[in-house]
């Protein structure tokens, strides 16, 4: 059952399509920041400081499935939605159903790349040094996706970007 803004009374079931990147740095980092991020002990068994960035535009068809998959992850991350001036109820639904989600509501559509860059700048400013996930609005995660990629990052400190296999919505075909 969905209420006024389409809020689900329970969490949506997870499906298998996911597309995102976990990076320990960004291409435009200064040398000091890059060194600091490379010094992180990725294998420490502690709570990680990870930010999931979702760029949205008229997000309503996928909003609950996408956000709920991040919230159901076995390794938690904060969520930032950078909204590109949606004309549907995206911003109101996020505020009503997901008060823990940070929202940057742009007054015009800046485009996908610029909106992701805004999110990455926020992540750097707020010291999300353990990882940044770029998650498309029409994609979702398996519960163990984040933890498995953090584990891979711990075993490959030379990597700056790590990405999982991207599956189509049926969970059996590569995208």
């Amino acid at each position: 059952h969905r209420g006024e803004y389409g809020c689900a009374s329970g969490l949506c079931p997870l499906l298998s399509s996911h597309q995102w990147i976990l990076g320990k740095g960004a291409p435009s980092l200064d040398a000091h920041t890059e060194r600091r991020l490379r010094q992180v002990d990725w294998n420490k068994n502690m709570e990680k400081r990870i930010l999931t960035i979702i760029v949205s535009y008229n997000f309503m068809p996928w909003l609950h499935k996408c956000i709920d998959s991040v919230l159901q992850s076995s390794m938690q991350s904060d969520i930032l939605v950078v909204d590109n001036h949606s004309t549907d109820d995206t911003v109101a639904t996020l505020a009503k159903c997901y008060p823990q989600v940070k929202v940057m509501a742009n007054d015009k559509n800046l485009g996908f790349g610029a909106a992701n860059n805004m999110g990455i700048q926020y992540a750097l400013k707020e010291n999300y040094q353990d990882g940044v996930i770029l998650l498309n609005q029409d994609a979702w995660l398996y519960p163990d996706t984040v933890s498995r990629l953090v584990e891979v990052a711990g075993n490959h400190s030379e990597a700056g970007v790590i990405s999982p296999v991207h599956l189509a919505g049926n969970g059996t075909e590569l995208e």
Side-chain angles (χ1 to χ4, degrees):
H1 177 265
R2 298 208 181 267
E4 175 183 359
Y5 291 105
C7 299
S9 56
L11 296 177
C12 297
L14 289 178
L15 296 177
S16 58
S17 176
H18 56 282
Q19 179 177 357
W20 56 275
I21 298 169
L22 173 70
K24 292 186 279 182
S28 61
L29 295 179
D30 60 66
H32 171 74
T33 303
E34 186 69 37
R35 269 193 313 278
R36 191 177 85 228
L37 292 175
R38 293 219 181 270
Q39 293 171 351
V40 172
D41 183 353
W42 296 93
N43 290 313
K44 279 188 181 173
N45 190 13
M46 59 182 216
E47 189 172 321
K48 302 291 184 189
R49 188 147 161 77
I50 298 170
L51 181 66
T52 298
I53 300 167
I54 303 166
V55 173
S56 70
Y57 180 74
N58 294 336
F59 188 16
M60 289 305 299
W62 312 279
L63 187 145
H64 295 289
K65 190 179 296 183
C66 180
I67 298 291
D68 289 342
S69 77
V70 178
L71 294 174
Q72 291 178 358
S73 177
S74 63
M75 181 172 279
Q76 293 301 303
S77 71
D78 291 337
I79 303 171
L80 170 66
V81 173
V82 182
D83 186 74
N84 266 334
H85 199 60
S86 291
T87 58
D88 63 5
D89 289 328
T90 294
V91 174
T93 301
L94 287 167
K96 177 94 173 161
C97 298
Y98 302 99
Q100 71 273 43
V101 172
K102 297 167 185 66
V103 178
M104 287 183 177
N106 293 319
D107 59 3
K108 64 179 181 177
N109 190 331
L110 301 176
F112 185 74
N116 268 313
N117 286 339
M118 285 178 62
I120 291 168
Q121 288 172 347
Y122 174 85
L124 292 170
K125 178 181 166 225
E126 297 297 321
N127 201 30
Y128 283 94
Q129 66 181 8
D130 294 320
V132 172
I133 299 167
L134 303 178
L135 181 62
N136 288 0
Q137 71 177 9
D138 63 347
W140 50 97
L141 306 174
Y142 283 124
D144 67 342
T145 302
V146 177
S147 61
R148 291 181 71 188
L149 288 171
V150 168
E151 180 183 343
V152 170
N155 294 327
H156 296 279
S157 61
E158 72 281 5
V161 175
I162 297 172
S163 176
V165 172
H166 303 176
L167 302 175
N170 64 14
T172 62
E173 298 172 27
L174 293 178
E175 204 168 66

